[in-house]
Every structure is written in C-alpha cells, then in structure tokens.
Amino acid sequence: MKKKPEIKNAIVLMFDTLQFNYVGAYGNSWIQTPWMDRLAKEGTLFENFYVEGLPTIPCRRAMQTGRYTLPVSGWVPLNMEDTTIADLCWGRPIDTALIFDCPQYRLPKFGYTRSFDQVMFTHGHEADDAYFENDDLNLYDWKDYVEDHTLDAYCEKYGTKVMENAVRDEINNYLRQRQYYGDEESRYVFKTISNAIEYLEKADRGKQFFMWIDSFDPHEPWDPPSVWDPKTPCMYDPDYKGKDMFLPCAELVDGLYTEEELHHIRMLYAEMVTVCDRQLGRLMKAIHKLGYDENTMLWMVSDHGQPLGNGEHGHGLMRKCRPWPYEELAHAPSIIRVPGAKAGQRISSFIQSVDVAPTVCAWLGIGIHPDMQGKNLLPLIFGEVDKVRDFAIAGYFDYSWSIITEDWSYIHWLQPDEDGKVMRLKFYRGNIDGSHLEATGGKGKMMAHLQDALEEATGINLAEERHKKNATTDGAAQWTCTPAATSEVPTKDELYNRKTDPFQLKNVADQNPKIALELLQKLKGFMAELRSS
C-alpha cells in the first residue's frame, strides 16, 4: 500500500501597518503584546525582516509570488505570468483559504483572490468604505476627532479651506460604519480571526490546508476601545485631555500637531496593536485546542510599519504621505513557529518579503517554482545555515531605493517627473483605471467629494484629458493608499550607520563618500540583476 504523505499545514497571518518596535519581543518594554511575545518564545523571531517593495500591494505581490517588485513595478494587479502559492496548491489535495478584511486585496481586476478555494471577506475598511455611503450618520460629529488648530493649519498648508471637506469626508466615511459598532467583537480584526477559527474548526483533518489571514488592523484609523468609551482612558496615555485624532491628517507634522498630540496618536496606535495581539491569542488558542500545533506552521508578518511623527517616530511625517523607506516603515516584524524547530530563536540574517512564498511552498511539500527569487527559510530556521543573504533592499518603485547591510543603510532617491508629483485624493480612480465603475456609477459619492477638494486645493484639472493621461490599468502612478500624499523625495542620497544610528537620523554620506559610492553601486547592480532575471 502506498504510504500517505505527511500532512503539513501553513497559516500566514498578516497584520497591516505593524511597526516592529511596537512589539514587546522586539525590545519594546512598555507595550502589552503577550501573544506576539509568546509566539516568539515558541518559534523564531527574525530581527532583520525588510519589505522590499512598499507598501500594501507590492508587498503582498512579492509575498504571494516570491518575486521582487521594487525594480519592476508598483501598485499592480497579478498578471498571467505571476505564480502564487495558491496557484501552486491547485490540483493537489490541499485546501486554500483567504480570510481577510484588507480591501486592497479585492481592488477591481487586480486578481489577488484568485486560486483560493475559500474566500471570506469582511466589508468596511478604507477602499471599501463606499459600502456604507448610503448610511445616514446620526451618532457622531467628525469635528470631535480633529483639533481645530490642526484643521486650520492643514487648510493653510494647501492654501484653501476646501481641504476641510477632505478631512471631514475621510472621518465621516469611517463614522458611518463605526456608529453600528459595540464591543471589541464588532471590530474587523475580531471578525476576521473569528472567520479563520471557523475555517480551522471545519477543515478536513485528512487533507492539507494553506490559509492566508489578512487583517487591515492596526492600519489607521486608530480607534481602540478607549476612543468610544468615555469611562475608559487610553491604556498608554490615560491623562491625555485632547481630542482622539484617530484619522490624523496625512502630512509633514510641523505646524499641524503638538508633540503631546503626536504622542497621543502613537499611543492610540499602540492600543490598536494590543487589540490585534489579543486576536492573535484567540487564534493561537484555537490552533492548540484543535490539535494543529504539531503539523501547522504559523507565521505572523506585516507589510510595513508607519511614520508617526518627528525623529525616529517618522522623520517628520504622519502616515505614508511620502515615498520615504526609512526604518520605521521598511523594517517590519516577522515571527514564525514551525513544528520541530528550536523554540525561542532570534535570527539576525536579513530576510525579505519575497521569502514567504518559497518557504511556505517548501513546508507544504509542493516544490518551489523556478521563477521565485526569494529564499526558502527552512534551512535557516532549522539551523542548517547561518544566513540567506548579505543585505536587504527596500523602497518605492520609481521613487526610492535603499540597501541595508549589517553596518550601513543607504537610500538612493529617484527623482520623479512632474506628472507624478501629486497623489490623487480619489486615488483608486485617479491612478488605477476605474472606467468600468464610472460607466455604471460605481465607487461613488464620497470619493467624488475628495476629488473636488483636491482639484480646488491644488489647481490640478483631473477632468477627462488629465485622467486619461494618468490612469493606468497597472497602477503605475499609484504608490500609496494615503489621500493627498505627494511623491516629493529629497534631492541628495543618504547614508546611515546602523550601529550608532539605527533609526537613520544623521546622514553621514558626506563624511563617508567611498562607502556611499560602494553601496550605491552594489544597489544598482543588484537592481539590474533582478530586472534581468
């Protein structure tokens, strides 16, 4: 009788916008993340995980296909040449499930849900907010969630009061759905993890499975329980008396926020991280209760961090409103628990988002597709090798490249043409072809308000001619999902000493021109190599 192959399963849990230094296991002494910390104690923590192509969609494409995106494309759909993990599971005794609330996974015609056998989506986040556009807002007032001086300064920066409409609409879009919420069980991350647990409970124990769980939390809005319960102070900033700006204006922070306000925004974010940690705990308990510990890989990752203020917190930015791949954005957490591997490992080898696909495929036993450029990390996890690469890369397609080595980090700024300078507020129609939606009145009223605000604020005419010029079916003009972001980049490349300046605050390129040149040449050579492979 033919021996049946060993059943191995894989779960990848994505927490969008999770900064590595907001996790206890990565050295944060004040945040409460007991389940992430426990996962690190039971598994392997990668100290140097860098997302090569930023942000949301390029990262997921690299993770699903095992191919670098930074040298070749930005915010683009999957194409017929791409081979994903789910594609490779097809035609085998493996069930595949995508359980998610990340709306970018289901952008029209992008195809990121393809080949999954089970797809479970929870409506509401960001690009899906039109789902609630016909709901009346009866409970909240948007001005309770933005400071007057911040709103005034934001409008002054754009030279028009019309930008107030953009802020109002973004907050109201969320309040329309938030008015229906009650306790933590109504949060997106709770629902998504609940759907994942339900899948585990119903899974066929005689077959393998691959499950990708994608939680948009802790992406903004940062509205943890303390925002909505007047009796509950922010767990990390209990004495704060100002407004809870859970959807802060995305811009350079100087002149918009006080340091006290910036600190509170960060503490709201931290509280959301703790909310996500509790949901990881629910998942881990379910995995144990159902007996999956012995044969199921569990991998917690993120697609990027987040700029949250001055200095090491965000290099002067609030949210991803510039294509700047500094440490607080490009360095992300990655913790994996693999049955049979040594517990409590901390591995310093550089790993990248492209390594997810080949590692998962190797664990499932389905083979690594020859087109994959990432590394299988199982030999690293099981102690067979000390490292899989000597450096990492990160950046935004067409705007910035960076290289990170053990001692140095170097950022090379690509100067964009003027047509790419302003990210459209109506980004999903202004930068990705949405003509099929407009033809039938889709993606409607709320986004139109944002469009009007940007046109009046900047003088940019986004009518038919401009739209046709900039709209692309491959999303080449889109590099972020943050409204009103601009693709401004510094004019001078930057070099940082990782030993003495890990958060890249002091540019030492002028003091070390030879090192800077060597790293630039290595970076350009590697990018050329990737483009040709």
Side-chain angles (χ1 to χ4, degrees):
M1 180 181 293
K2 183 179 178 181
K3 184 180 179 180
K4 291 185 178 180
E6 182 181 3
I7 292 177
K8 292 182 177 181
N9 310 309
I11 300 172
V12 178
L13 170 59
M14 165 74 78
F15 282 126
D16 199 294
T17 313
L18 178 57
Q19 273 204 38
F20 79 97
N21 56 327
Y22 279 72
V23 177
Y26 277 90
N28 187 312
S29 61
W30 53 264
I31 199 165
Q32 296 180 30
T33 54
W35 288 99
M36 296 179 190
D37 302 346
R38 177 173 174 174
L39 184 62
K41 291 178 182 178
E42 295 178 355
T44 300
L45 181 147
F46 293 108
E47 296 177 336
N48 288 296
F49 170 55
Y50 284 86
V51 179
E52 55 91 27
L54 295 159
T56 314
I57 287 297
C59 170
R60 284 164 174 78
R61 187 184 185 204
M63 286 186 173
Q64 291 284 358
T65 66
R67 292 189 60 81
Y68 287 88
T69 64
L70 180 59
V72 295
S73 61
W75 196 288
V76 302
L78 289 176
N79 60 47
M80 292 305 295
E81 285 69 45
D82 286 325
T83 302
T84 68
I85 304 170
D87 290 334
L88 292 171
C89 289
W90 189 89
R92 306 173 189 266
I94 303 175
D95 193 62
T96 56
L98 172 61
I99 299 174
F100 70 116
D101 57 48
C102 175
Q104 282 77 14
Y105 247 122
R106 58 185 291 276
L107 289 177
K109 302 185 179 182
F110 266 46
Y112 281 86
T113 62
R114 79 181 193 197
S115 294
F116 284 97
D117 300 312
Q118 320 289 335
V119 176
M120 302 175 70
F121 175 67
T122 300
H123 276 292
H125 265 303
E126 196 175 86
D128 188 55
D129 47 24
Y131 188 73
F132 293 91
E133 69 177 17
N134 292 325
D135 292 49
D136 293 329
L137 177 57
N138 300 315
L139 187 56
Y140 298 113
D141 184 344
W142 69 276
K143 284 196 173 182
D144 290 338
Y145 305 101
V146 58
E147 295 287 354
D148 292 341
H149 76 89
T150 298
L151 187 61
D152 291 342
Y154 188 60
C155 292
E156 183 178 349
K157 182 165 289 195
Y158 280 87
T160 174
K161 192 69 172 175
V162 174
M163 288 308 290
E164 179 176 316
N165 296 343
V167 177
R168 175 200 66 201
D169 290 344
E170 186 183 24
I171 297 175
N172 277 345
N173 289 353
Y174 184 66
L175 293 178
R176 282 186 179 87
Q177 50 194 286
R178 190 62 185 81
Q179 65 188 342
Y180 300 118
Y181 293 175
D183 54 20
E184 190 166 314
E185 293 185 8
S186 62
R187 303 199 71 89
Y188 294 119
V189 63
F190 186 97
K191 294 178 181 179
T192 297
I193 295 300
S194 295
N195 288 337
I197 292 172
E198 181 181 353
Y199 174 84
L200 291 175
E201 291 172 341
K202 295 179 179 179
D204 185 342
R205 299 303 182 91
K207 308 292 183 185
Q208 290 180 265
F209 70 78
F210 162 56
M211 178 167 59
W212 186 284
I213 310 169
D214 210 296
S215 167
F216 206 45
D217 290 324
H219 188 287
E220 67 267 26
W222 300 307
D223 63 322
S226 64
V227 171
W228 308 111
D229 184 356
K231 298 179 182 179
T232 303
C234 174
M235 63 186 298
Y236 299 116
D237 195 16
D239 297 326
Y240 183 74
K241 303 302 182 183
K243 296 179 181 179
D244 291 320
M245 291 189 279
F246 61 79
L247 261 177
C249 300
E251 249 301 344
L252 296 168
V253 300
D254 286 348
L256 265 67
Y257 306 96
T258 67
E259 283 300 323
E260 182 184 23
E261 289 163 354
L262 289 172
H263 174 74
H264 186 66
I265 291 169
R266 289 193 290 270
M267 295 306 98
L268 292 177
Y269 169 77
E271 193 175 343
M272 276 304 305
V273 172
T274 297
V275 168
C276 291
D277 181 81
R278 286 197 289 268
Q279 302 317 308
L280 169 63
R282 291 180 61 226
L283 178 67
M284 290 176 65
K285 285 186 283 188
I287 290 171
H288 177 72
K289 179 181 179 181
L290 295 169
Y292 287 116
D293 283 340
E294 296 183 358
N295 67 345
T296 301
M297 167 195 289
L298 174 60
W299 197 346
M300 188 199 81
V301 295
S302 186
D303 56 347
H304 52 73
Q306 181 75 285
L308 291 167
N310 287 311
E312 67 184 54
H313 301 295
H315 289 80
L317 297 181
M318 176 54 65
R319 301 168 62 183
K320 303 184 300 297
C321 58
R322 301 290 188 277
W324 299 355
Y326 290 114
E327 185 78 358
E328 66 273 8
L329 186 73
H331 190 174
S334 178
I335 306 174
I336 187 171
R337 186 177 67 189
V338 181
K342 180 181 178 181
Q345 298 184 93
R346 300 182 70 92
I347 292 179
S348 61
S349 172
F350 290 107
I351 69 166
Q352 299 252 240
S353 35
V354 290
D355 300 334
V356 172
T359 305
V360 170
C361 288
W363 173 254
L364 292 174
I366 60 177
I368 299 172
H369 195 278
D371 287 345
M372 290 183 178
Q373 298 167 314
K375 306 293 185 181
N376 170 17
L377 300 181
L378 292 181
L380 185 65
I381 293 167
F382 282 94
E384 299 167 15
V385 297
D386 293 328
K387 64 180 180 179
V388 293
R389 58 173 60 82
D390 295 322
F391 60 86
I393 63 171
Y396 285 86
F397 174 67
D398 264 356
Y399 295 104
S400 55
W401 298 346
S402 69
I403 183 171
I404 305 99
T405 69
E406 184 175 343
D407 296 320
W408 303 93
S409 61
Y410 181 87
I411 303 176
H412 175 54
W413 303 107
L414 305 171
Q415 301 304 318
D417 59 47
E418 291 302 313
D419 283 339
K421 278 292 183 185
V422 180
M423 182 66 191
R424 311 300 181 256
L425 269 175
K426 195 166 69 173
F427 40 86
Y428 294 112
R429 282 196 291 169
N431 299 277
I432 295 173
D433 181 17
S435 57
H436 64 290
L437 298 175
E438 295 187 15
T440 58
K443 195 55 181 167
K445 294 177 287 187
M446 295 188 298
M447 299 303 288
H449 292 314
L450 299 181
Q451 178 83 358
D452 294 340
L454 183 62
E455 289 183 5
E456 185 168 340
T458 63
I460 296 176
N461 178 10
L462 295 183
E464 189 70 19
E465 294 298 320
R466 185 84 174 172
H467 176 77
K468 287 181 178 179
K469 181 178 180 181
N470 289 287
T472 60
T473 54
D474 63 359
Q478 179 161 340
W479 55 268
T480 183
C481 59
T482 305
T486 61
S487 56
E488 174 187 4
V489 297
T491 58
K492 189 176 181 180
D493 286 2
E494 301 171 12
L495 175 70
Y496 298 96
N497 187 321
R498 292 190 73 222
K499 301 294 187 183
T500 62
D501 184 22
F503 279 93
Q504 303 165 304
L505 300 179
K506 184 180 179 181
N507 181 8
V508 294
D510 289 343
Q511 292 79 19
N512 301 274
K514 183 177 179 181
I515 294 174
L517 180 60
E518 289 175 352
L519 288 173
L520 176 60
Q521 290 174 339
K522 178 180 286 189
L523 176 59
K524 286 186 173 180
F526 187 61
M527 296 292 275
E529 178 185 330
L530 291 175
R531 283 172 169 163
S532 63
S533 64

